[in-house]
Amino acid sequence: MKAYVRTNAQSMEVELQNIAVPEVAEQEVLVEMSAFGVGIHDRYFIPSDANFPYTIGLEGSGVIKKIGNGVKDFVIGDRVILNSSSLPKGGCWAEYTVVPSDMLILLPESMDFNEGATISVAGKTAMECMGALNLNEGDTLFIAGASGAIGSLVIQLATDKGVRVIASASKNNHAYMHALGADITVDYKDADWKESLLTILPNGVDIALAIQPNTAKDSMDVVKNSGTVITVSGDSIAAERGITVSQFEHLLRWQEALNGLIGNITAGKVKIIIEKVYRFDQALEALAKIETRHARGKIVVSI
């Protein structure tokens, strides 16, 4: 099969190679890939003991072609969404991938393969963010880096709860974020954006979600006294003014989180946003685009 692989642990370069289709163990399935999502960590997230060449990729969708003897919940021909993060047999940037059956959910008939490929990573994170934020109707939420895959989902999930969302991204993404439900948008490139926001909300926002790296301190500057900042990026900052600063944690089971998000999607509360669909032979171009950290919504490669 054709697959995009890392060839060794030292080099971060990714190249297209012909490699063997992985074998299926008792609790695993073989999926013929139809599409895969492109994420900022695809190049880097591989097991520490990976065997090379190692196929990259964390999320996708496709059709089950073979199942292990111990698999009970799926059958050959099922359309599925999968998570292939750091698996010993490789990821999903390939024509075929093998994943444990507990890293699969059925793809709803109402969703196509491209849509299904977008939600495995960002969707789980967005649902966990909502749990950590513990928002109530009427709260104000500031999101730093709101136009990307995670932020696009959180804007919609939060506004559905009656939360007032203030979204930060570059100017060209402001109309997009308003369309998702953001009430106020700010451009992080503007030197006085914090002062302008605090003119509108003098006491600050109730809670902030810092998604992009190096945004936690700026986020804290617009949070009210004794408010909360949650960092997805891993930023470490000292709390001030009684503000609680928390590191985001992965707490939900993958299937639980994804089924919860799909419930919101099928109910019409959340829209899947795909900025662009690339061909399989354009996958490295798609990876370069996402690594600029200026994507809008999600980028997908269709096979």
Side-chain angles (χ1 to χ4, degrees), residues 34 44 67 83 90 102 111 139 167 189 195 218 226 236 245 254-255 272 279-280 293:
S34 298
Y44 306 102
I67 62 174
N83 183 309
D102 63 357
M111 294 173 62
D139 284 347
K189 297 178 183 178
E195 290 76 10
D218 284 340
S226 301
S236 180
V245 179
W254 180 79
Q255 289 173 322
I272 294 174
R279 301 188 310 268
F280 186 68
R293 293 185 179 272

Side-chain angles (χ1 to χ4, degrees), residues 137-160:
E137 184 177 358
D139 284 347
T140 50
L141 169 67
F142 173 75
I143 306 174
S147 65
I150 298 169
S152 294
L153 294 172
V154 173
I155 290 173
Q156 297 177 77
L157 291 165
T159 54
D160 180 66

Side-chain angles (χ1 to χ4, degrees), residues 135-207:
L135 298 164
N136 296 303
E137 184 177 358
D139 284 347
T140 50
L141 169 67
F142 173 75
I143 306 174
S147 65
I150 298 169
S152 294
L153 294 172
V154 173
I155 290 173
Q156 297 177 77
L157 291 165
T159 54
D160 180 66
K161 289 177 67 69
V163 172
R164 187 182 188 188
V165 174
I166 299 89
S168 170
S170 56
K171 186 70 175 179
N172 64 314
N173 285 318
H174 286 197
Y176 164 76
M177 296 187 298
H178 279 299
L180 294 179
D183 184 57
I184 300 171
T185 57
V186 299
D187 186 350
Y188 64 91
K189 297 178 183 178
D190 289 345
D192 60 350
W193 72 264
K194 286 182 280 188
E195 290 76 10
S196 298
L197 178 57
L198 291 172
T199 299
I200 302 170
L201 299 169
N203 294 324
V205 301
D206 296 310
I207 190 165

Side-chain angles (χ1 to χ4, degrees), residues 14 19 24 28 56 58 63 68 71 84 110 114 135 141 147 159 185 191 202-203 230 242 245 267 271 287 298:
V14 176
I19 64 172
V24 176
E28 295 176 335
I56 69 167
L58 311 182
V63 178
V71 176
S84 60
S110 59
N114 290 340
L135 298 164
L141 169 67
S147 65
T159 54
T185 57
N203 294 324
I230 296 174
V245 179
K271 297 183 294 184
L287 184 59
K298 194 70 179 181

